Amino acid sequence: MKTKMLNFAVLVAIAGIVACKGSGSSSTPADSAASDTAAIKTADTTTKEIKPKGAAPAWAPNMKPEMQAVIEKLESYGDKPIPKLTAQEARKNHTPTDAVMDLMKDNNIPKPVFKVDTAGKEIPVAGGSIHARVYTPKSGKSVYPVIVYYHGGGFVIANLDVYDASANVLAEKTDAIVVSVAYRLAPEHKFPTAHDDAFAAYKWVLANAASIHGDAKKVAVAGESAGGNLAINTAIKARDTKIALPTAIIAVYPVAGSDMNTKSYTKNAAAKPLDKPMMMWFVKNYLNSMAEGKDTRINLVAANLKGLPPTTIITDEIDPLQSEGMMLADKLKAAGVKVDSKNWDGVTHEFFGMGALVPQAKEAETYAVDQLKKAFGM
């Protein structure tokens, strides 16, 4: 999804955000300075209590107070709704990441420092190349497991910086290298460009793991929202092309279906930061035609899921995508895949990574890290 944005919980966390801030994925600051942005998301201190200013919104009466404070801050910017904008305009909107950072500043929550180094890499793809940012823990090991990470944003918005926090926290807490992939965005690059780029990046990591101090036999894939879809599709294509399967899959509120009349779509049609009109806007920008919504690369719940590696699905209550994420977990289990899944109530799409402010985000971050460590045998 285009607007995936926002990350983890209580001052140790940080993760990705599927909402976009700034220009597309090809336009990012120096990789070595990226951690400055992510660092604002989490800190290794006690979380300060964050309270909302008003009553819970009618569309989410049971929203957790910290989550509500983030949404209030996001709405305070007064940006035009994304469905009323072009993709280029939408990429300039404030994101949940902005809201988290501003709330931390407002409440004097310190900016953490990650024990992670970053460097840029260019990955060849059909028609050119894409950028990737490599996050390497400073723990001093000679070889690390690798996580290929795909950001959110509906295949249309967001970039590596918006999800810098997710990559940093996964690298530091899992003690693994994270390769964050700046796949090409729509509508400049229509379906299936993002999917093809995601798979090309995975193959590049398998072939070049040693050059970044990675272990080619321990490569997981992970992503949020649209990125969760890309992670699962990458594993499916690895299976179908008979190359090494990922060690594990982490999919956070993944785009997994084409039915916009599910229970959660109906319940959360007006939710923030992701609502039904925004999802429709993403689809229209990425797909060449609405009929492509039935393609199993989009409609994962109808895909052949047999033979995939252990998969973790994270969902949240206040999210149009909740139902399809839960359905995907059930479909994976029915296909014989080892599946772990958890849902968090009272939080919205993009909560993953808001660890500096939202306790439930911290829990989700810890859960993802533990699942990866288990898969890597750590």
Side-chain angles (χ1 to χ4, degrees), residues 2 16 19 64 82 87 94 141 180 187-188 222 225 262:
K2 174 177 183 176
K64 299 298 183 182
I82 281 180
H94 291 85
K141 296 194 300 188
S180 187
E188 296 89 343
S225 195
T262 62

Side-chain angles (χ1 to χ4, degrees), residues 315-330:
T315 58
D316 58 294
E317 179 188 12
I318 310 169
D319 188 343
L321 303 185
Q322 182 194 33
S323 294
E324 61 198 63
M326 290 179 163
M327 187 185 303
L328 179 61
D330 290 340

Side-chain angles (χ1 to χ4, degrees), residues 263-282:
K263 181 179 179 180
S264 63
Y265 257 105
T266 301
K267 176 185 176 183
N268 299 304
K272 302 298 177 190
L274 180 67
D275 58 19
K276 184 174 179 177
M278 191 181 299
M279 281 301 304
M280 295 175 68
W281 183 87
F282 285 139

